[in-house]
Amino acid sequence: MPVWQQVYEEINDPNFVIICAAEDVGGEAVAGPIFDAVNPTYIQVVDVDHIISSAFNFVNVPSSAWIDEEGRVVRIDEGTYSKTHAIGEGEQAITFGNDVYTPALKDWVAKGADSEFVQSAEAVTGNIREHSFDQLKADAAFRLGNLFRGHGQKEKAESYWQMARELNPDSVNFIRQNLTLTEEGSAGETFMQLMGDYVSEGREYYRPLDL
Amino acid sequence: MAEAFMAYPELRHPFQETPIHPNGSATVLYQGRTITLSETGGDDNLLIKPEDLGRINGFELKPEGACYADMCIPLNDELLLTREGEQWFDLTAFADLLEQPYVVDREAGVWSFAEIPAKRRNMMVDAMAPEFEVTDRKGNVVRMADLKGKKALIVTWSSW
């Protein structure tokens, strides 16, 4: 999320990096202007094929991993918001995010392994989603759909994206990315229906924020 | 019901047909890379020239097998084979051996391979970050290995 620039500047540590990846099939044309609006100095990636989500088995955005100097994951797969956000005003306002994640991140960057927010390897591996053969296959189907989308073959794009969704029903990323092809968009009635089903089936799109 | 958010509606239907690869070629997708192969063989399976293996998945053919980092897969007649005097590597048999899923569109001649599970095993066992390789908006290749010695927050977002 581009708003991480402010946090990056506040931390201002040469041994800390942020890699901010836009999981966006629309590519630079879609994600570029949003990045540019905050003049980021962190590493910006337009991740058309959702390589980062796939590597860490994320199923939704915004999701994140903290990685220490040795390459060890010390937190993973939490709804990653820099602060509490509000959409709308008054009683109609919808709030999301939280105000505890950024202070925890700053504490970790300052204290390293001594930070109370560092999780054990056991806790971290417990939070990493194990992906089945079919869920891995979903990534291959999704990227095949992306290729056809990029070459103007809409029917094939849709069929492989649908295959990806069926192979990995946990992926909110696939649900919403697919809906960008529709007139209704990725946050309309269909999305609400699909997310209602998702939650009622007991799926979780983030691990609990244990801070 | 709130009106649906439609970011960049002009990009919703950007469908303009263009060829995926020249006639007679095949395309392999792997980890964000699109590799065009001018020479392939096989009917059901995808046979590639052995020298193309490295640029597809990073494996290198050595006397002890097909090797990547500290992993070596011994070769046999099903993986490395000769047909009409030409040597081929069976990429799909290799994937099956490694339990690497793939999806193929035979009409278009495109093979899309998922990640090789063995490359991710360390993350599931001892929480070591997985390898990945992406290109940033400045054109720099960013690899997990390049981050060693620094703390990193890797965070995803999207416009949708």
Side-chain angles (χ1 to χ4, degrees):
Chain A
M1 198 177 278
V3 294
W4 285 100
Q5 178 62 21
Q6 184 183 339
V7 175
Y8 190 51
E9 289 174 10
E10 288 167 2
I11 290 177
N12 191 28
D13 183 327
N15 290 315
F16 171 66
V17 297
I18 293 179
I19 297 177
C20 201
E23 308 296 88
D24 250 309
V25 166
E28 176 67 25
V30 170
I34 303 175
F35 270 129
D36 289 342
V38 294
N39 293 317
T41 53
Y42 51 66
I43 298 169
Q44 309 149 54
V45 175
V46 179
D47 187 10
V48 171
D49 280 333
H50 296 199
I51 297 293
I52 296 291
S53 289
S54 169
F56 292 94
N57 294 355
F58 295 153
V59 298
N60 196 11
V61 295
S63 296
S64 71
W66 297 3
I67 299 170
D68 73 11
E69 295 90 333
E70 302 302 318
R72 192 174 302 279
V73 181
V74 297
R75 293 194 78 89
I76 193 165
D77 202 349
E78 295 162 310
T80 308
Y81 295 93
S82 62
K83 59 183 180 182
T84 301
H85 301 271
I87 297 176
E89 292 179 359
E91 290 183 3
Q92 303 296 318
I94 298 170
T95 61
F96 59 96
N98 62 74
D99 293 322
V100 296
Y101 194 88
T102 294
L105 177 70
K106 290 178 177 177
D107 187 81
W108 170 60
V109 175
K111 298 177 185 170
D114 293 332
S115 168
E116 65 180 297
F117 303 108
V118 166
Q119 293 183 329
S120 67
E122 187 181 8
V124 170
T125 53
N127 278 337
I128 297 172
R129 297 167 198 264
E130 278 207 55
H131 273 184
S132 67
F133 183 89
D134 276 354
Q135 286 174 308
L136 281 176
K137 189 173 180 178
D139 293 339
F142 178 69
R143 290 164 193 163
L144 192 52
N146 291 354
L147 183 80
F148 285 118
R149 179 192 184 278
H151 287 274
Q153 298 185 40
K154 183 180 179 186
E155 284 183 10
K156 281 199 173 183
E158 287 179 331
S159 75
Y160 287 112
W161 280 2
Q162 179 64 26
M163 181 191 291
R165 264 186 53 193
E166 289 170 4
L167 288 166
N168 187 3
D170 286 346
S171 178
V172 179
N173 287 341
F174 290 163
I175 291 173
R176 295 197 71 186
Q177 186 73 84
N178 295 7
L179 288 170
T180 60
L181 281 180
T182 66
E183 292 296 341
E184 190 182 305
S186 60
E189 206 165 323
T190 304
F191 170 68
M192 297 302 177
Q193 175 66 47
L194 289 169
M195 286 311 292
D197 295 345
Y198 186 99
V199 172
S200 67
E201 288 163 5
R203 303 180 196 279
E204 58 174 20
Y205 44 79
Y206 302 126
R207 296 303 195 197
L209 187 63
D210 181 22
L211 289 172
Chain B
M1 183 92 198
E3 191 176 337
F5 173 66
M6 290 184 66
Y8 305 95
E10 71 278 13
L11 293 171
R12 283 282 150 68
H13 304 292
F15 293 98
Q16 187 174 4
E17 282 210 33
T18 53
I20 291 174
H21 48 229
N23 280 342
S25 304
T27 294
V28 170
L29 307 178
Y30 177 67
Q31 290 301 297
R33 292 199 293 279
T34 302
I35 303 109
T36 302
L37 301 172
S38 55
E39 280 190 274
T40 57
D43 297 321
D44 291 334
N45 285 12
L46 178 62
L47 305 184
I48 63 167
K49 301 305 291 181
E51 57 267 29
D52 286 330
L53 181 65
R55 67 189 180 109
I56 292 173
N57 60 17
F59 276 80
E60 189 181 349
L61 292 180
K62 295 181 176 180
E64 57 268 40
C67 301
Y68 177 88
D70 57 357
M71 172 171 43
C72 271
I73 310 299
L75 297 170
N76 57 36
D77 291 346
E78 289 181 5
L79 292 177
L80 197 59
L81 56 150
T82 302
R83 281 192 182 170
E84 296 175 2
E86 279 196 79
Q87 199 170 43
W88 298 94
F89 186 86
D90 190 332
L91 193 61
T92 38
F94 190 59
D96 292 340
L97 193 62
L98 296 175
E99 299 180 337
Q100 177 192 21
Y102 57 86
V103 178
V104 57
D105 187 292
R106 293 180 192 280
E107 182 187 35
V110 183
W111 304 72
S112 180
F113 289 83
E115 181 55 294
I116 296 168
K119 287 188 175 181
R120 288 186 176 169
R121 199 153 290 145
N122 285 349
M123 180 169 79
M124 306 310 295
V125 172
D126 57 11
M128 294 305 292
E131 288 185 30
F132 63 79
E133 180 181 308
V134 289
T135 302
D136 72 11
R137 291 184 70 216
K138 294 177 179 172
N140 303 311
V141 174
V142 181
R143 298 181 184 87
M144 185 58 237
D146 300 334
L147 303 179
K148 272 224 163 166
K150 296 190 175 194
K151 296 186 184 79
L153 169 70
I154 297 179
V155 58
T156 62
W157 66 281
S158 79
S159 68
W160 30 262

